[in-house]
């Protein structure tokens, strides 16, 4: 009975995709998330709003964490913008939504990376977010 209905899973996945699009667009246009959200003709789903606003609020901590975990091979600025946005989303959920399982958060991020990133993105995103999870959710 505790299983999610397929429609709920699909709507949550769609909200994560929308959040990714919004984060990517805000970065591409170099505008704050709040400003981008004001420009939307239709308000994003509640989960998409939570995700982008959460990334915005926790951005400094998320970027510090990611920068440390992708170094020494990469700097956060050198990452593909899509990968960076996906990892920010996943990191936010790992940090601020402990009720969501780490495995689910990482899996959803990998699915986004597979759909929107390069051939190397899914493995890279999985590795970095697994490290984030180990650090912020030491079980």
């Amino acid at each position: 009975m505790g299983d999610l209905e397929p429609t709920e899973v699909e709507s949550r996945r769609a909200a994560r995709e929308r959040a990714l699009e919004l984060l990517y667009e805000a970065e591409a246009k170099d505008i704050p998330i709040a400003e981008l959200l004001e420009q939307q003709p239709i308000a994003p789903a509640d989960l998409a709003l939570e995700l982008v606003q959460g990334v915005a609020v926790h951005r400094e901590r998320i970027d510090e964490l990611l920068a440390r975990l992708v170094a020494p091979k990469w700097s956060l600025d050198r990452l593909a913008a899509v990968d960076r946005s996906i990892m920010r989303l996943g990191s936010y959920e790992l940090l601020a939504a402990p009720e969501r399982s780490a495995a689910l958060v990482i899996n959803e991020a990998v699915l986004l990376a597979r759909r929107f990133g390069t051939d190397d993105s899914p493995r890279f995103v999985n590795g970095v977010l697994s490290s984030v999870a180990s650090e912020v959710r030491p079980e």
Side-chain angles (χ1 to χ4, degrees):
M1 209 62 194
D3 292 341
L4 294 175
E5 296 295 320
T7 54
E8 187 175 342
V9 170
E10 289 165 3
S11 66
R12 292 178 72 77
R13 186 161 293 151
R16 285 185 176 92
E17 280 186 23
R18 185 69 183 120
L20 172 60
E21 292 165 358
L22 290 165
L23 288 174
Y24 181 84
E25 184 179 351
E27 185 172 334
K29 291 179 174 179
D30 195 26
I31 61 173
I33 286 292
E35 188 177 322
L36 181 66
L37 289 173
E38 287 171 14
Q39 297 171 4
Q40 300 306 301
I42 298 171
D46 290 347
L47 177 59
L49 273 176
E50 176 217 322
L51 294 171
V52 295
Q53 290 170 333
V55 168
V57 167
H58 297 282
R59 172 85 176 266
E60 201 171 302
R61 180 169 180 211
I62 289 168
D63 282 1
E64 182 277 324
L65 186 61
L66 290 173
R68 193 164 33 76
L69 293 172
V70 299
K73 287 192 172 198
W74 296 92
S75 70
L76 203 50
D77 292 337
R78 281 188 57 206
L79 295 178
V82 169
D83 291 351
R84 188 170 43 244
S85 293
I86 292 168
M87 288 189 286
R88 283 175 176 152
L89 273 177
S91 296
Y92 162 73
E93 285 195 274
L94 290 168
L95 281 165
E99 71 283 0
R100 295 177 200 148
S101 85
L104 173 109
V105 169
I106 293 168
N107 184 59
E108 289 294 318
V110 169
L111 291 173
L112 287 172
R114 190 171 288 135
R115 179 149 186 217
F116 298 104
T118 67
D119 289 344
D120 295 328
S121 296
R123 194 166 28 101
F124 184 64
V125 165
N126 184 53
V128 172
L129 289 181
S130 293
S131 296
V132 170
S134 296
E135 195 163 309
V136 301
R137 292 189 184 183
E139 263 100 57

